[in-house]
Amino acid sequence: MKIAVLGTGMVGQIIAAKLADIGHSVVMGTRDPAKTLSRKEEGTPNAAHITDWMKSHAAIPVVRYAEAAQHGEIVILAVNGAGALSTLTLAGAQHLAGKTVMDITNPLDFSKGMPPSLFVCNTDSLGEELQKAFPEARIVKTLNTVRADLMVDPAKLTGEAITMFVCGNDAGAKTAVTSYLKTWFGWKDVIDLGDITSARGTEMLLPIWLRIWGVLQSADFAFRIVR
Amino acid sequence: MKIAVLGTGMVGQIIAAKLADIGHSVVMGTRDPAKTLSRKEEGTPNAAHITDWMKSHAAIPVVRYAEAAQHGEIVILAVNGAGALSTLTLAGAQHLAGKTVMDITNPLDFSKGMPPSLFVCNTDSLGEELQKAFPEARIVKTLNTVRADLMVDPAKLTGEAITMFVCGNDAGAKTAVTSYLKTWFGWKDVIDLGDITSARGTEMLLPIWLRIWGVLQSADFAFRIVR
């Protein structure tokens, strides 16, 4: 399948690598490839500098957002929440129309200190804002409630089934994404929470996620809905 | 132990009954006992009308908030979020000073339709508002993330350990509450999330709790933190 992964940070790297590994035609999108590749900062413990990363993933092109989105039959949005709207704008509404867009972003606001708060919540969500701005895209909010390595390997923790959610207005897109989560990554417990307004609920998990992370001093945890 | 349960609804009834069952000296508080007892509405599937409930729990006095709080060595706040501040005000700061106050409330706002939103969240919480208003009370936010019957019987679901959180500024009060959760109710997995600002995280679980409730058509579920 032709897949666009928008974003070259930790989440983008881990998802793109996994999808390429299992045989998909993955293209990574970034704002300005020349600038991305010339960035001077080092990689982090979780994400390689993109130039280093590309050496070990030479088969995955890194191109502009629009070019990536044009390539993808499905588009995976894996950027910081603050950049989500501008990323889809640069990707181009015409390259998103009719396509399933997996939205992994969280509206984290780091401007008021740590832990971050949310720049939209409660009566709105980033998922809704994206759906409103791109009405022809089939936005499905998902995977935003676990760390990147668990997104693509949910059995990694203990083998105990952890729970993932899908939220969106398009039933077909949610069914497709649920199937992708299961077949690509091995998710076993996926709950369809409802329309895109239910993204408020999954984005509002972030504050407790961040607190638990702080207490455990580890992101090796995830929510399971016991029922 | 002398325990005040403020609130005569479903949560208050279930907690008061459980604590009386295991031998504590429980007093229930309400705004105006005469008015509570003369209320005409029927009970709900989950909560009996208080007069009916009192017939089968005759040993538990129903008195004014202040009288109940005065009785309690520990105070359990089990009212609607919208009434939390006025309930503690009526209970009286002098009857709360130095005492552990288990705050089970959620800031649910039903004025904007269903599902409810939160009337405070993100950069503040109801737990914080209560602690600010009653600086000498030792507020511990807990139990607000599960239905009342699971609060007092967390093994009811599947036997699989579900997770409870405690949030508060007073380490001793949190240690005490953690011990109460375990010995009174059988909680096995309790995470101390930090100071009272971490109540933002547990209160912000409500939106997804409400969505899951809607999807499952049942409140027989709870969060487990797999790690």
Side-chain angles (χ1 to χ4, degrees):
Chain A
M1 193 170 185
K2 291 179 175 176
I3 303 173
V5 175
L6 307 185
T8 59
M10 175 177 60
V11 177
Q13 288 177 15
I14 288 177
I15 290 193
K18 173 70 181 182
L19 293 175
D21 275 355
I22 58 176
H24 293 286
S25 167
V26 181
V27 164
M28 251 174 148
T30 190
R31 189 170 298 254
D32 179 342
K35 204 171 159 189
T36 298
L37 301 179
S38 69
R39 280 200 335 237
K40 291 282 180 271
E41 68 267 34
E42 298 283 311
T44 69
N46 295 317
H49 189 288
I50 189 68
T51 49
D52 295 331
W53 188 84
M54 284 175 71
K55 284 175 199 158
S56 47
H57 300 86
I60 302 176
V62 175
V63 298
R64 286 184 186 275
Y65 286 137
E67 200 180 324
Q70 193 165 19
H71 168 86
E73 300 163 74
I74 173 170
V75 175
I76 301 178
L77 182 62
V79 298
N80 290 330
L85 201 58
S86 67
T87 295
L88 290 190
T89 302
L90 288 166
Q94 73 279 21
H95 300 139
L96 304 173
K99 292 181 187 172
T100 294
V101 176
M102 285 173 62
D103 166 24
I104 311 186
T105 63
N106 280 304
L108 295 177
D109 177 3
F110 293 89
S111 73
K112 296 184 184 71
M114 293 296 285
S117 52
L118 303 181
F119 61 75
V120 58
C121 67
N122 199 26
T123 54
D124 197 2
S125 63
L126 186 50
E128 285 165 86
E129 289 190 346
L130 298 176
Q131 184 62 82
K132 208 170 293 170
F134 298 92
E136 293 185 76
R138 304 155 80 202
I139 306 276
V140 179
K141 187 101 208 173
T142 193
L143 290 180
N144 62 310
T145 55
V146 292
R147 191 175 63 180
D149 55 341
L150 296 174
M151 292 178 190
V152 303
D153 186 10
K156 187 186 170 185
L157 275 182
T158 61
E160 195 179 345
I162 56 180
T163 305
M164 186 40 62
F165 309 96
V166 292
C167 315
N169 295 341
D170 189 295
K174 283 189 290 190
T175 302
V177 167
T178 300
S179 158
Y180 300 149
L181 292 177
K182 293 182 176 183
T183 55
W184 293 348
F185 304 141
W187 283 90
K188 289 185 176 138
D189 184 27
V190 181
I191 297 179
D192 178 350
L193 278 186
D195 69 19
I196 193 66
T197 67
S198 59
R200 297 172 196 178
T202 67
E203 294 175 6
M204 287 169 83
L205 280 178
L206 266 287
I208 197 167
W209 190 95
L210 290 160
R211 296 285 183 160
I212 297 168
W213 181 40
V215 170
L216 301 180
Q217 296 282 303
S218 160
D220 283 331
F221 70 89
F223 300 97
R224 167 166 163 71
I225 304 302
V226 176
R227 72 269 195 196
Chain B
M1 193 170 184
K2 291 178 175 175
I3 303 173
V5 175
L6 308 184
T8 59
M10 174 177 60
V11 176
Q13 287 178 15
I14 288 177
I15 289 192
K18 173 69 182 184
L19 292 176
D21 275 355
I22 58 176
H24 293 285
S25 165
V26 181
V27 164
M28 252 174 146
T30 190
R31 189 171 299 253
D32 179 342
K35 204 170 160 190
T36 298
L37 301 180
S38 67
R39 281 201 333 239
K40 291 283 180 274
E41 68 268 33
E42 297 283 310
T44 69
N46 295 317
H49 189 288
I50 189 67
T51 49
D52 295 330
W53 187 85
M54 284 174 72
K55 285 174 200 158
S56 47
H57 299 86
I60 303 177
V62 176
V63 300
R64 285 185 186 275
Y65 286 137
E67 200 181 325
Q70 190 165 22
H71 168 86
E73 300 163 75
I74 176 171
V75 174
I76 301 178
L77 182 62
V79 298
N80 290 330
L85 201 58
S86 67
T87 295
L88 290 191
T89 301
L90 289 167
Q94 73 277 23
H95 299 139
L96 304 173
K99 293 182 187 171
T100 295
V101 176
M102 286 173 62
D103 166 24
I104 313 186
T105 64
N106 279 305
L108 295 177
D109 177 2
F110 294 89
S111 72
K112 297 183 182 72
M114 292 296 286
S117 52
L118 303 182
F119 61 75
V120 58
C121 67
N122 198 25
T123 55
D124 197 0
S125 64
L126 187 50
E128 285 165 87
E129 289 190 346
L130 298 177
Q131 184 62 82
K132 207 170 294 167
F134 298 92
E136 293 185 76
R138 303 154 81 204
I139 307 275
V140 178
K141 187 101 208 178
T142 193
L143 290 179
N144 62 310
T145 55
V146 292
R147 190 176 64 179
D149 56 341
L150 296 175
M151 292 179 191
V152 303
D153 186 9
K156 187 186 170 183
L157 274 181
T158 61
E160 194 179 345
I162 56 180
T163 304
M164 187 41 62
F165 309 97
V166 292
C167 315
N169 294 341
D170 190 296
K174 284 189 290 187
T175 303
V177 168
T178 300
S179 157
Y180 301 148
L181 293 176
K182 293 181 176 183
T183 56
W184 293 348
F185 305 141
W187 284 90
K188 290 184 177 139
D189 185 27
V190 181
I191 297 180
D192 178 349
L193 277 187
D195 68 18
I196 193 66
T197 66
S198 59
R200 297 172 196 178
T202 66
E203 294 176 7
M204 288 168 82
L205 280 177
L206 265 288
I208 197 167
W209 190 94
L210 290 159
R211 295 288 183 159
I212 297 169
W213 181 40
V215 170
L216 301 181
Q217 295 283 304
S218 160
D220 282 333
F221 69 90
F223 301 98
R224 168 167 162 74
I225 304 302
V226 176
R227 73 265 196 200

